[in-house]
Amino acid sequence: MDLTVRDLAVARGGVPVLEGLSFGLTPGRALVLRGPNGSGKTTLLRTIAGLQPAFEGEIAGAGERIAYAAHADGLKSMLSVAENLTFWAQAFGTADIAAALTGFNLEDLARRPAGTLSAGQKRRLGLARLMVTGRPVWVLDEPTVSLDAASVQLFAEAVRGHLAGGGSALMATHIDLGLAEADVFDVTPYKAEPRVSSADEVFL
């Protein structure tokens, strides 16, 4: 099992929002999280990515194996497209950025400063970083924001290539990417029940 979640509860601001989560993600597969806005998908992804502690439960197979992409593109505006990718490639110990440039149609923009790109171009560059990390588990929070239809297809192809190479992906998105290798996990039934702390009980 590439990534395993057991009896997980996650919290926002110290208040549990999801609980009782258990699922597995195997190499070559994607898992798409669904649920209404505010249901806890971002909190769950941040917890799995190690950006905040779990409230309860266990996450196995994560840590340094994860590449995380959220709403911020994480770009250095004064560096060119190629320099941004090179920076991240070196940070993760890889070297070749050619596949990332090609995969997200960035070849013609390679020398452009990232700060001069459109919102969609910045998003493509931010997602291209995933391809230079060399990490097997992609954790993605609404990755298609600011992407037009053609760019969504580029992203879907990048995910397919990652899965075909034995990687896996966990993502929250409302867009159907047409991935035959994807399963859907609805977080709605796992909404946490209100919990009364000992301090609250004093006033009951």
Side-chain angles (χ1 to χ4, degrees), residues 5 13 72 197:
V5 169
S197 69

Side-chain angles (χ1 to χ4, degrees), residues 6-203:
R6 299 187 187 92
D7 298 321
L8 185 68
V10 299
R12 184 168 53 233
V15 178
V17 292
L18 294 171
E19 62 184 358
L21 293 157
S22 294
F23 58 82
L25 183 61
T26 57
R29 300 294 299 177
L31 186 63
V32 178
L33 301 179
R34 293 283 166 78
N37 291 338
S39 59
K41 300 185 299 293
T42 292
T43 303
L44 173 58
L45 293 175
R46 285 177 54 83
T47 303
I48 290 174
L51 299 178
Q52 64 182 64
F55 193 80
E56 293 175 351
E58 178 185 359
I59 302 168
E64 296 299 316
R65 305 179 70 249
I66 283 181
Y68 177 68
H71 300 187
D73 294 317
L75 307 178
K76 295 182 178 294
S77 61
M78 299 303 293
L79 296 183
S80 70
V81 167
E83 288 169 338
N84 267 278
L85 287 176
T86 298
F87 170 84
W88 286 108
Q90 292 175 345
F92 285 97
T94 60
D96 189 10
I97 66 169
L101 287 171
T102 301
F104 283 89
N105 194 23
L106 295 168
E107 300 103 319
D108 292 342
L109 301 172
R111 296 184 179 180
R112 282 266 302 273
T116 69
L117 301 177
S118 69
Q121 290 167 341
K122 288 178 180 177
R123 191 60 171 166
R124 277 158 44 205
L125 176 54
L127 292 171
R129 292 182 303 149
L130 296 165
M131 297 183 66
V132 303
T133 64
R135 294 195 167 183
V137 184
W138 290 0
V139 175
L140 314 169
D141 191 2
E142 296 295 346
T144 60
V145 170
S146 299
L147 295 183
D148 58 21
S151 297
V152 169
Q153 290 306 307
L154 290 176
F155 169 69
E157 286 301 319
V159 174
R160 287 192 188 95
H162 179 63
L163 301 180
S168 59
L170 174 67
M171 67 184 87
T173 179
H174 296 287
I175 301 294
D176 183 2
L177 298 174
L179 299 173
E181 308 87 352
D183 301 304
V184 174
F185 186 87
D186 188 350
V187 303
T188 307
Y190 301 92
K191 180 180 179 180
E193 295 294 330
R195 302 191 184 190
V196 178
S197 69
S198 57
D200 293 329
E201 290 169 348
V202 174
F203 299 99

